[in-house]
Amino acid sequence: MPPMIPGTVTADSMRRKEQLWKTWDGKAQKEGPRHTVYWTTGERYQGEWQDNKKHGKGTVVYKNGDKYEGDWANDVRHGLGTLWIYKEGKYIVRYNGEWRDDQPTGHGTFFEDNGDTYEGDWVHGKRHGKGRAVYGGRPVDGFGGDVYEGNFENDKKHGPGTMMYANGDVYEGLWAHDQKHGTGSYFYMSKGKRFDGAWQDGTIRCGTYSEIHAPAPGTPGSLPPIELKNPDAVLEGAMQKVMEQL
């Protein structure tokens, strides 16, 4: 057998190279838990893998400093997880809840920069279904702000819902595209009065005012009696016209 000269390509050396290539390729295929993996884009991930994709529990820190902690499936956020926003040197929760196909879908809580919060149903990253939104108040109980509880559709108040205002007033009724729209009742709590009627695009169209708790006749500030001969018939006709336009 001739002497082995360094650098000479033989069948045996080719087999060894192929085996080495397979060894390194196998190591490159990420499977199971891993230490931090860095990308040239500036992102990094630490967590579980399956078939070389993020799958299971893991944390991604994005290029801008934001991070996601939670469940993954086939390289996208899927399951339960929390999105954190990196702002002024600290992390602030932006969304906590269910994800599907990389978007908030299911039940979750969203925290706005101005302190407003929403807890409820999500579909494809939008508020959709039943939920509770707090505007300008304490997130836990809504103290000091307006609180809405009811239906949302495509990120807007839509359908039956109740708005409890910071001044104590309450509206119960229908909404469309973030506006009072349809039948409803508005309670002026500080005045002890209520309005029952119909709204269109946030504007009152027709209805009746009454006392929340009927006072004794002649009480100062109480509403005067209606003088119409057939008030119910007049109201019914007005309501019918308005509802035909909605």
Side-chain angles (χ1 to χ4, degrees), residues 143-240:
F143 179 78
D146 301 335
V147 179
Y148 172 84
E149 294 184 0
N151 277 37
F152 284 82
E153 186 174 304
N154 291 324
D155 230 22
K156 297 182 183 296
K157 296 185 287 291
H158 196 96
T162 300
M163 178 71 85
M164 294 162 281
Y165 295 93
N167 65 357
D169 291 352
V170 177
Y171 169 79
E172 297 178 351
L174 299 177
W175 299 75
H177 309 294
D178 266 349
Q179 300 284 343
K180 301 180 189 71
H181 191 86
T183 57
S185 299
Y186 194 102
F187 299 85
Y188 300 87
M189 303 305 292
S190 62
K191 299 179 181 179
K193 297 176 175 60
R194 63 180 289 171
F195 175 83
D196 300 283
W199 280 256
Q200 184 175 15
D201 298 326
T203 301
I204 293 175
R205 295 299 306 274
C206 67
T208 61
Y209 280 99
S210 61
E211 307 285 352
I212 295 178
H213 303 290
T219 300
S222 62
L223 294 173
I226 296 177
E227 300 295 338
L228 292 173
K229 185 176 181 180
N230 295 308
D232 293 338
V234 173
L235 176 62
E236 183 179 353
M239 288 286 288
Q240 184 176 353

Side-chain angles (χ1 to χ4, degrees), residues 68-103:
Y68 168 82
E69 296 179 317
D71 296 330
W72 296 80
N74 295 319
D75 232 23
V76 298
R77 295 168 292 190
H78 192 96
L80 293 175
T82 303
L83 177 64
W84 302 76
I85 300 300
Y86 188 72
K87 190 174 182 179
E88 298 178 354
K90 60 181 181 181
Y91 280 105
I92 302 172
V93 175
R94 172 67 82 218
Y95 174 82
N96 178 57
E98 295 179 273
W99 298 73
R100 189 174 302 163
D101 297 327
D102 218 36
Q103 293 184 327

